[in-house]
Amino acid sequence: MSSRTSPIGPSITIRRAVARDAKRLTRLVRGSSAYEGKYAAAVAGYRVGPDYIEAHRAFVAVGADEQGGRVLGFYSLVLSPPELDLLFVADEAQGRGVGRLLVAHMQSEARAAGLDSVKVVSHPPAEGFYHRAGAVRIGTALANPPAVLWDRPEFEFRVPPE
């Protein structure tokens, strides 16, 4: 897949994020039910700003609707060192394959950039998703108070050549 708009099925498109997406992406992160309870503090003040979008390979999955497109999820790929920095799927879009589409797109972008693997430090509730999406557990990132108060599973996506 290219960095341009890529249609995925009849109603979902993955495209490069742009600065005007920043507020919607921030709302998606802060509103994620995966960060309720003891995890809420991790995203309470989190901001996906236009500067972040400009600095990283950020892509959004957009669903077609009467408003011209609704953000269903997004990811950010950092090339050096290779890491899937963010991956969020809107609560109402979970279980519909959006996360898998974003992972497949990320792997294609990583392959195009010449990477053979991409690391992920996962949010604990997302561990099962990463297993199902094909990532391999490689370790544990220890808690780093006050920013992160819990250990997190580390995964790696292998990026096979085409």
Side-chain angles (χ1 to χ4, degrees), residues 3 8 14 21 25 29 41 51 58-60 62 67 90 101 106-107 110 117 119 125 132-133 157-158:
S3 295
I8 309 293
I14 296 179
D21 292 320
L25 301 185
V29 169
D51 52 338
F59 292 86
V60 295
V62 180
Q67 285 82 35
L101 292 172
M106 178 276 299
Q107 289 176 306
S117 66
K119 177 181 168 183
R132 291 187 303 277
F157 280 105
R158 301 213 170 93

Side-chain angles (χ1 to χ4, degrees), residues 115-129:
L115 303 176
D116 60 5
S117 66
V118 175
K119 177 181 168 183
V120 180
V121 177
S122 175
H123 180 50
E127 184 171 2
F129 165 77

Side-chain angles (χ1 to χ4, degrees), residues 10-97:
S11 61
I12 299 174
T13 299
I14 296 179
R15 63 165 172 78
R16 188 79 184 243
V18 294
R20 72 177 178 272
D21 292 320
K23 286 183 182 178
R24 291 194 291 180
L25 301 185
T26 296
R27 279 193 304 270
L28 198 155
V29 169
R30 290 183 184 175
S32 174
S33 64
Y35 284 88
E36 292 177 339
K38 72 177 185 177
Y39 300 120
V43 297
Y46 198 87
R47 180 177 169 268
V48 180
D51 52 338
Y52 180 90
I53 291 169
E54 296 288 329
H56 301 294
R57 290 183 181 218
F59 292 86
V60 295
V62 180
D65 64 14
E66 62 278 358
Q67 285 82 35
R70 183 171 51 102
V71 173
L72 301 174
F74 76 102
Y75 77 88
S76 175
L77 175 64
V78 175
L79 298 181
S80 183
E83 183 173 2
L84 178 59
D85 187 41
L86 298 171
L87 188 147
F88 279 83
V89 174
D91 287 349
E92 67 275 7
Q94 290 183 13
R96 295 180 23 205

Side-chain angles (χ1 to χ4, degrees), residues 126-139:
E127 184 171 2
F129 165 77
Y130 286 114
H131 274 298
R132 291 187 303 277
V136 176
R137 177 92 186 244
I138 59 169

